[in-house]
Amino acid sequence: ADCQAIVGRKLLDDANTQLVDKITDVVVAIPAHYTSDQRQVLMGLSSKLGCNVLGTVEEPVAAAHTYIATRKSKEDGLHLIHDIGAGTTDLTIVDISAAGPVNQVTKGRNDLGGRRFDHALIEVISRMAKSDGIDIDAITDTTTLHEFHIKVTQAKHTLSQADKALFYMNIEGKVLKLEIEKADFEKACEPILDEYEDLVRELLASAELQPSGIKAVIPVGPSNRMPMIQQRLAKILPDVPVRFEVDPVTAVAQGAALVAVKFVQQDGDTAIGKDRKPIRALPELATLRAVSTHALGCEHHIGGDENSNAFAVIIPENAPLPISASD
């Protein structure tokens, strides 16, 4: 939480240098499949940032807002918001129609994000480094570790565009110079891609959809640029177009800004854009809501036997929010 607060404070300070008025209110975008504990940590940032939290928005919902507001392709139908973040993968199907967009179903995992691909590349580099007498796991200097992870990210980006990447750095007095093959990196990522494919197929099964039922895929998150992700997606959803019509890096933040406009307008205030002019009403935001990403309920003993437990679902997965239920 302290690290998140430091990063958040730096972002706010940088933004304030570019703005006439100081930021006092924020909307927090949360990965859809964060656990309750992870959400509480993120929400606890408000006091450390010195800002009032107007509300929250699920990241794939925020990205959907951005796409709906700026899209060039006006085709209605079911769209897959394909959000691969640093730590999580959130997949949400949104029905975009003239009556307004509506969430259909969401699936995701909070342990299946871009960092998994980083770790796979680190394993490849570690194996190659050991043949040169360098043990990556033995690095203890924090500055060296920081530089190492920066170079890993750079190599990953290179392998998204080229068949080879040169990895070169001085590690505690030893020179490490490697030529990493894309094929070796992609082979190391196969288990991750299999997990990812299973998740997409679970989503389609939950929505009772065939691949042809999806009109388009909207990529969110820089990991979508990796060819192996696009190839696996083409295997699962053949002939479904992938539309890079929003910036994968900033789509969530832009959507959260639109949600901020909605909160301001609901309070009867006027939202002002960067051109210092009032922003029009955004009625389409009203129909696009989050859904419950997990089944909620309680664990109980069967027949009073403490060794025999069951889970009673009170709010099912993918129930539209807000919702209340009791049992």
Side-chain angles (χ1 to χ4, degrees), residues 138-213:
I139 299 175
T140 57
D141 180 67
T142 54
T143 302
T144 302
L145 281 172
H146 179 66
E147 182 185 357
F148 174 75
H149 285 286
I150 289 176
K151 289 184 177 294
V152 167
T153 301
Q154 292 172 342
K156 184 179 71 171
H157 291 170
T158 299
L159 292 172
S160 293
Q161 305 174 38
D163 292 331
K164 297 179 181 180
L166 181 64
F167 189 94
Y168 179 88
M169 73 174 289
N170 187 308
I171 298 180
E172 298 180 347
K174 296 181 179 180
V175 175
L176 178 62
K177 185 176 181 180
L178 305 173
E179 190 175 78
I180 306 167
E181 300 280 349
K182 176 187 283 188
D184 292 335
F185 174 43
E186 293 186 343
K187 182 178 180 180
C189 292
E190 279 296 320
I192 306 170
L193 294 170
D194 290 342
E195 292 179 46
Y196 158 77
E197 180 175 339
D198 289 342
L199 183 62
V200 178
R201 296 195 185 281
E202 285 177 24
L203 176 77
L204 294 174
S206 295
E208 299 181 345
L209 278 175
Q210 295 297 317
S212 58

Side-chain angles (χ1 to χ4, degrees), residues 8-196:
R9 186 71 260 170
K10 177 65 165 62
L11 291 172
L12 284 172
D13 289 343
D14 288 348
N16 282 329
T17 63
Q18 305 295 318
L19 300 172
V20 175
D21 301 314
K22 184 178 179 180
I23 295 173
T24 57
D25 304 276
V26 297
V27 169
V28 179
I30 300 178
H33 287 83
Y34 257 18
T35 65
S36 177
D37 289 343
Q38 288 173 314
R39 288 169 182 265
Q40 289 300 319
V41 169
L42 201 54
M43 288 304 298
L45 291 178
S46 58
S47 59
K48 297 181 180 181
L49 293 178
C51 289
N52 173 49
V53 175
L54 291 175
T56 64
V57 60
E58 307 269 337
E59 287 190 354
V61 172
H65 286 323
T66 302
Y67 174 70
I68 292 166
T70 62
R71 64 185 178 134
K72 299 175 182 177
S73 306
K74 300 302 182 182
E75 183 180 25
D76 289 343
L78 300 180
H79 289 64
L80 171 58
I81 307 300
H82 190 264
D83 185 357
I84 303 180
T88 62
T89 289
D90 293 319
L91 306 174
T92 297
I93 294 177
V94 175
D95 185 3
I96 301 176
S97 68
V102 178
N103 282 39
Q104 292 294 306
V105 65
T106 184
K107 284 284 183 181
R109 281 180 47 180
N110 62 1
D111 62 346
L112 190 62
R115 291 195 197 98
R116 289 282 298 277
F117 297 102
D118 289 349
H119 292 159
L121 183 53
I122 288 172
E123 290 177 6
V124 172
I125 294 171
S126 296
R127 287 196 299 268
M128 298 175 69
K130 282 181 180 178
S131 64
D132 290 344
I134 298 175
D135 186 358
I136 299 297
D137 295 331
I139 299 175
T140 57
D141 180 67
T142 54
T143 302
T144 302
L145 281 172
H146 179 66
E147 182 185 357
F148 174 75
H149 285 286
I150 289 176
K151 289 184 177 294
V152 167
T153 301
Q154 292 172 342
K156 184 179 71 171
H157 291 170
T158 299
L159 292 172
S160 293
Q161 305 174 38
D163 292 331
K164 297 179 181 180
L166 181 64
F167 189 94
Y168 179 88
M169 73 174 289
N170 187 308
I171 298 180
E172 298 180 347
K174 296 181 179 180
V175 175
L176 178 62
K177 185 176 181 180
L178 305 173
E179 190 175 78
I180 306 167
E181 300 280 349
K182 176 187 283 188
D184 292 335
F185 174 43
E186 293 186 343
K187 182 178 180 180
C189 292
E190 279 296 320
I192 306 170
L193 294 170
D194 290 342
E195 292 179 46
Y196 158 77

